[in-house]
Amino acid sequence: MDLKSGLPWWLIKDGLMTNFNILQKNIETEIVIIGSGITGALAAHFLCEAGAKCIVVDKRMSSTGSTAASTAQLQYEIDVFLHELSDQIGTENAVKSYSLCLKSISTLKQIISKLKLDCSFEMKPSLQLAANKQGTKKLKLEYEFRKKHKLPIEFLDKKTLKKQFGIDRDSAIYTDTSAQVDAYMLCRLLLDHHKKKSGLEVYSYTEIVNVNHKKDGIRLLTDRGHEIKAKKMVCSPGYESEFFLKEKVMKLNSTYVFISKPVLKNLWPESCMIWETARPYLYIRTSTDNRVIVGGEDEAFLNPESRDRKMGQKNKTILRKFKKLFPEIDLEIDFHWCGVFGETKDGLPYIGVHPEHPNTYFALGYGGNGITFSVIAAEIIRDLYVGKPSGNEKIFAFGR
């Protein structure tokens, strides 16, 4: 699948890897991880830290799938309000899923700090704006629900929002627990760290064409005819999971993003991340060199050609929406891109085992919170592998 097009900023900023390997022999390992994006990299990190011998394979150059197109906004909120998610999966599981997302940001911060990974990680506040009167009603409900369950949140009315942020919207909710990162660089650095420390082997341009489930493990066949023999498989192929999982658990959408040239003035207070109650919503963050990344105009994915034809008009619409929000900030588009993402019925990922796929752990971090879901998935899979499940896998199970 053509996961992205245009010029994702992270590929321009960080460049492509030059030290990649292609699998050219039969190989045996404890765990084979399918997918070298941020989900696969985090799974490799937690499993290697637990002492497992792993290899990672990807049909592309490692880290260059959807991860390279991610805007990497790390929030504990998911795309479904907590008070609505509670109606779908029960209050206990809904609150737990939000709490796990909150914890995952701290976990990721600790990993980056401990390993001294230079990946532009920054803690940033987050501001969700009401798109209209109905949005304000939902934000008030959400504020009360989260406060009741002791989750961090503040409600800003129209006057306060205008005074503190200069934004003319009816209301907003504010949290100070979010973060942003260069996900492409983070992914590369995590893989490189464990290549050196843990003997992790990472193979690019190595496509799996057949999966054979055995009683004692997994046998995989590559496009060059080589066999990978493993005890377990971690399936983290992002939005290309249909080869490994026949059950349809998500629908595909396209999203459009641009990054501005550096802005030679102060931006909005705290340079906080911004998103909306509208669907589809506008999302905004900044870069370390005072650029503004703006995305949105999501729609159902039909095919890459249809998606790409719309990129120019989508950019104009996104820029117009930004200027309506911040008329005093003059943005010039520097690079732009579009990409595929998946969403589920409840906004939650699918993590863990599937009855039809023995010796396999799935890490399918679909939704707007892909990276925080990836942290959660990696921890759950590590716990399952070492035989100490936390029980959190039940929240994200297939068939829920």
Side-chain angles (χ1 to χ4, degrees):
M1 184 189 297
D2 185 356
L3 294 173
K4 61 186 184 304
S5 58
L7 289 173
W9 166 237
W10 316 111
L11 287 174
I12 304 298
K13 171 178 169 288
D14 302 328
L16 292 173
M17 298 175 65
T18 55
N19 58 335
F20 60 87
N21 292 319
I22 300 171
L23 185 65
Q24 300 184 68
K25 62 182 180 179
N26 295 341
I27 195 169
E28 186 172 347
T29 187
E30 277 186 68
I31 304 174
V32 56
I33 300 169
I34 309 298
S36 65
I38 191 61
T39 307
L42 283 163
H45 169 73
F46 280 96
L47 287 166
C48 286
E49 289 285 287
K53 181 182 178 183
C54 304
I55 69 167
V56 177
V57 298
D58 199 308
K59 70 179 184 179
R60 297 179 177 82
M61 181 182 288
S62 68
S63 313
T64 61
S66 296
T67 294
S70 172
T71 55
Q73 293 165 262
L74 314 179
Q75 298 164 263
Y76 85 88
E77 300 96 334
I78 67 171
D79 285 344
V80 177
F81 280 120
L82 179 59
H83 69 269
E84 295 175 339
L85 184 62
S86 179
D87 292 336
Q88 294 184 49
I89 66 171
T91 299
E92 182 179 354
N93 283 344
V95 172
K96 184 67 172 177
S97 66
Y98 265 63
S99 299
L100 287 170
C101 286
L102 180 61
K103 178 178 176 290
S104 73
I105 298 172
S106 297
T107 299
L108 193 60
K109 180 182 179 181
Q110 291 167 7
I111 292 169
I112 291 168
S113 176
K114 179 182 176 182
L115 303 184
K116 296 180 173 59
L117 305 180
D118 184 9
C119 55
S120 304
F121 180 89
E122 296 179 281
M123 294 300 297
K124 285 284 183 180
S126 174
L127 198 62
Q128 185 175 15
L129 306 175
N132 47 38
K133 296 292 184 183
Q134 182 63 24
T136 291
K137 183 179 179 181
K138 285 191 173 185
L139 289 183
K140 286 181 177 177
L141 282 171
E142 185 69 2
Y143 169 74
E144 294 296 338
F145 203 87
R146 284 200 230 164
K147 287 295 287 184
K148 178 181 177 181
H149 294 284
K150 297 180 172 55
L151 289 168
I153 190 170
E154 295 179 38
F155 182 84
L156 307 180
D157 60 19
K158 183 180 181 70
K159 182 179 178 181
T160 305
L161 181 60
K162 182 70 174 177
K163 180 180 178 181
Q164 291 187 9
F165 293 94
I167 296 175
D168 188 19
R169 286 289 184 94
D170 211 41
S171 65
I173 52 176
Y174 172 92
T175 61
D176 62 358
T177 55
S178 303
Q180 58 191 36
V181 71
D182 178 343
Y184 172 60
M185 181 55 75
L186 170 60
C187 184
R188 286 175 53 175
L189 292 175
L190 273 175
L191 293 173
D192 285 345
H193 171 80
H194 284 290
K195 284 180 190 177
K196 297 170 184 175
K197 179 193 173 187
S198 311
L200 176 69
E201 297 178 47
V202 179
Y203 295 100
S204 297
Y205 302 118
T206 301
E207 184 172 4
I208 302 304
V209 296
N210 188 57
V211 179
N212 194 355
H213 298 278
K214 300 284 188 179
K215 288 183 178 180
D216 62 342
I218 299 279
R219 305 290 186 276
L220 305 180
L221 185 68
T222 75
D223 55 340
R224 290 180 175 81
H226 301 299
E227 184 183 68
I228 301 171
K229 181 179 179 181
K231 293 178 181 178
K232 297 286 185 180
M233 176 172 71
V234 175
C235 191
S236 54
Y239 308 124
E240 297 176 304
S241 62
E242 65 278 355
F243 176 79
F244 300 94
L245 179 70
K246 302 308 178 186
E247 180 183 350
K248 186 175 176 60
V249 295
M250 57 140 183
K251 67 174 183 176
L252 292 175
N253 294 305
S254 299
T255 191
Y256 298 82
V257 190
F258 69 73
I259 185 168
S260 74
K261 295 178 180 179
V263 179
L264 303 178
K265 62 179 292 186
N266 291 330
L267 299 172
W268 53 94
E270 303 180 64
S271 296
C272 60
M273 299 188 301
I274 297 172
W275 58 313
E276 302 178 293
T277 60
R279 293 294 184 270
Y281 56 81
L282 192 73
Y283 51 94
I284 306 169
R285 60 160 286 191
T286 58
S287 70
T288 53
D289 56 348
N290 223 45
R291 297 170 184 263
V292 181
I293 303 171
V294 193
E297 286 299 292
D298 303 350
E299 62 177 33
F301 174 79
L302 299 176
N303 55 66
E305 294 75 24
S306 173
R307 176 195 67 199
D308 296 353
R309 280 196 303 269
K310 299 173 183 178
M311 200 176 333
Q313 186 56 51
K314 294 284 190 178
N315 288 338
K316 290 178 183 178
T317 302
I318 292 168
L319 182 58
R320 185 173 66 249
K321 289 182 175 181
F322 176 87
K323 288 186 172 181
K324 187 175 180 181
L325 199 60
F326 294 110
E328 73 284 1
I329 300 177
D330 187 22
L331 291 190
E332 291 184 71
I333 298 175
D334 206 0
F335 299 95
H336 58 86
W337 64 96
C338 56
V340 173
F341 74 96
E343 65 178 357
T344 62
K345 60 186 179 181
D346 51 16
L348 296 177
Y350 284 89
I351 301 170
V353 299
H354 190 287
E356 296 178 8
H357 300 271
N359 299 310
T360 302
Y361 303 118
F362 286 92
L364 307 179
Y366 303 141
N369 253 15
I371 297 175
T372 55
F373 289 156
S374 296
V375 176
I376 295 168
E379 290 188 290
I380 286 174
I381 288 169
R382 184 265 323 271
D383 293 344
L384 289 172
Y385 184 69
V386 300
K388 296 180 180 179
S390 64
N392 293 331
E393 69 278 2
K394 297 173 185 177
I395 302 172
F396 311 108
F398 293 95
R400 60 177 182 264

